[in-house]
Amino acid sequence: TGQSAPLTGGTEMAIRTVTIIGAGAGGCATAAVLGRKGIKVRLYDISESRIDLLSRTGGLYVIEESGDEFVPISLATTDLAEALEGTDLIQVMTSAAGQRGVARALAPHLRDGHRVLICSGASGSLEFARMWREMGVAADVLLGETVTLPQSARLREDARLIIRLPARLRTAAFPGERTAELCDLVSELYDIIPVRDVLDTGLNNPNFLIHPVPMVLNYTAVERSDGLFSLMNEGMTRGTLRAFDAFDCERMALAARLGLPVLSVDEIYTEFGSSPAVYREPGEPMGIKDRIHDRYLDDDIPFGSMLLASLGDQIGVDTPVVDATNALACIITGKDYWGAARTCEKLGLAGMSVQRIVEFVQKGS
């Protein structure tokens, strides 16, 4: 399963205040979940309209069968310095495409002892660390990431949330030798699985497995329906699943080459608390039919499947299905995803052998 030995030691200071960067559905859902635990939550976003809504409501409404529950938020702000003051944990909850902007914005505020958790990371910890080095950040920051969001959610315009699927989270630090320290800290908040390093969290992100191939193969249907499409229900035909599984085999070959636990996408879905039935059986248990499919390509191609392709080129693993998916995604959308892609060069891994990559993500030097 990739689980490590039991953690030893512990952190002396419990987490009482969490700063969440990104007030989208994932960030707001995490704010509500932590608020229910009695954590003082600060929400930061660059969107003035979203922060204004949260400031006016004073919190979030969680929609449940038993009725709405109001969860207060201690602070919603567009002032990053205000959001970070005295915080115990910084959680980055933006899309992968927004992470570079967050890394740049955080750099001048970082101090010794800060803890930064990227959810979901997509090996972004490596890119954060590279950017901070280049920007001259000298602070001792505990940096790491989770494999996916702590829970899935949909956020309505009236600050009402539908929260689903609290997840078990594969979690690692960069460098990997600090993973136990990070997991000791965040285990009081989430159900986590400590793993070797942030290559594990990057290669096992379920969204980056479930979206690219089905989105490319169903792009015509998405266009015809103006995006109102159920990818898990209407999109998962037998042929799509065959291509999807071939894509996954290439990802598993990358994991094997890097000495990581080899998990199929079905095992990953089961591990984090869902089920392969979501995409392998007719119907859709979650009942999701909406217009968020641009993100399924704009995030999951450059930060998911293109990361796999770049790693394959670097370490000598052929990825023809992944490569075809990337090429078709650029053609059908008319977008240059490679321009923004998370590659080995952007992660600071260019030119490294497999052995050197493994050493680097463990030691950080």
Side-chain angles (χ1 to χ4, degrees):
T1 63
Q3 295 188 41
S4 70
L7 299 174
T8 59
T11 177
E12 294 181 0
M13 189 173 86
I15 297 175
R16 297 180 177 88
T17 303
V18 173
T19 298
I20 293 176
I21 297 179
C28 286
T30 300
V33 168
L34 294 180
R36 282 172 156 178
K37 295 176 181 287
I39 302 294
K40 185 178 180 180
V41 176
R42 300 167 181 172
L43 265 172
Y44 164 83
D45 201 285
I46 60 174
S47 169
E48 293 184 1
S49 60
R50 178 154 293 176
I51 292 301
D52 181 62
L53 171 64
L54 294 170
S55 296
R56 284 187 284 107
T57 59
L60 295 153
Y61 298 90
V62 180
I63 301 172
E64 297 178 318
E65 291 182 2
S66 57
D68 292 6
E69 178 187 356
F70 181 75
V71 182
I73 301 299
S74 66
L75 176 68
T77 182
T78 57
D79 185 334
L80 184 56
E82 181 184 27
L84 295 176
E85 186 177 357
T87 192
D88 298 324
L89 177 68
I90 302 164
Q91 282 194 216
V92 180
M93 305 292 296
T94 65
S95 66
Q99 289 176 3
R100 289 173 186 142
V102 172
R104 284 190 291 269
L106 280 174
H109 300 280
L110 293 173
R111 302 291 182 268
D112 288 351
H114 269 147
R115 296 91 164 242
V116 178
L117 182 69
I118 311 170
C119 309
S120 53
S123 296
S125 298
L126 295 172
E127 191 162 6
F128 272 53
R130 179 191 63 77
M131 292 177 67
W132 289 344
R133 285 195 301 271
E134 293 174 355
M135 295 175 74
V137 174
D140 179 16
V141 177
L142 178 58
L143 172 66
E145 62 185 61
T146 64
V147 72
T148 189
L149 297 176
Q151 58 280 310
S152 65
R154 290 295 184 272
L155 176 63
R156 297 182 179 177
E157 292 182 357
D158 55 359
R160 280 175 162 75
L161 279 165
I162 301 172
I163 300 177
R164 294 189 176 96
L165 285 181
R168 299 187 71 209
L169 300 170
R170 300 177 79 83
T171 303
F174 175 70
E177 60 188 13
R178 298 191 72 178
T179 290
E181 181 184 354
L182 176 69
C183 290
D184 272 341
L185 178 74
V186 300
S187 61
E188 63 187 66
L189 303 181
Y190 306 116
D191 183 6
I192 62 170
I193 302 171
V195 295
R196 191 189 76 185
D197 55 50
V198 296
L199 293 176
D200 185 302
T201 49
L203 264 63
N204 290 310
N205 184 313
N207 287 337
F208 295 166
L209 309 181
I210 200 73
H211 294 153
V213 167
M215 276 301 301
V216 166
L217 296 182
N218 285 282
Y219 198 77
T220 298
V222 173
E223 285 186 308
R224 284 176 175 163
S225 63
D226 191 28
L228 192 62
F229 184 77
S230 171
L231 189 66
M232 299 298 177
N233 185 354
E234 299 163 290
M236 293 298 186
T237 65
R238 288 189 295 272
T240 298
L241 286 169
R242 284 194 292 272
F244 167 77
D245 286 334
F247 180 102
D248 195 42
C249 283
E250 294 176 5
R251 179 195 60 84
M252 288 190 286
L254 287 168
R257 183 83 172 95
L258 290 164
L260 296 168
V262 179
L263 300 174
S264 70
V265 64
D266 289 359
E267 291 172 314
I268 291 169
Y269 260 75
T270 300
E271 179 185 78
F272 82 73
S274 184
S275 165
V278 173
Y279 50 86
R280 295 221 181 260
E281 296 183 6
E284 186 180 353
M286 295 181 69
I288 295 175
K289 187 171 185 174
D290 55 8
R291 291 186 175 93
I292 62 171
H293 299 93
D294 285 348
R295 193 196 71 205
Y296 288 177
L297 290 171
D298 293 350
D299 254 27
D300 301 348
I301 295 295
F303 297 92
S305 56
M306 286 180 171
L307 171 61
L308 300 182
S310 181
L311 276 169
D313 289 343
Q314 177 88 8
I315 63 176
V317 174
D318 291 335
T319 57
V321 178
V322 173
D323 295 342
T325 302
N326 293 335
L328 286 171
C330 292
I331 292 168
I332 62 179
T333 63
K335 297 178 180 179
D336 175 21
Y337 286 126
W338 278 111
R342 180 164 282 163
T343 61
C344 287
E345 182 177 3
K346 290 194 175 78
L347 296 179
L349 305 178
M352 293 187 185
S353 66
V354 171
Q355 180 180 355
R356 182 72 185 100
I357 288 173
V358 173
E359 290 174 352
F360 175 70
V361 295
Q362 274 296 306
K363 302 293 185 181
S365 62

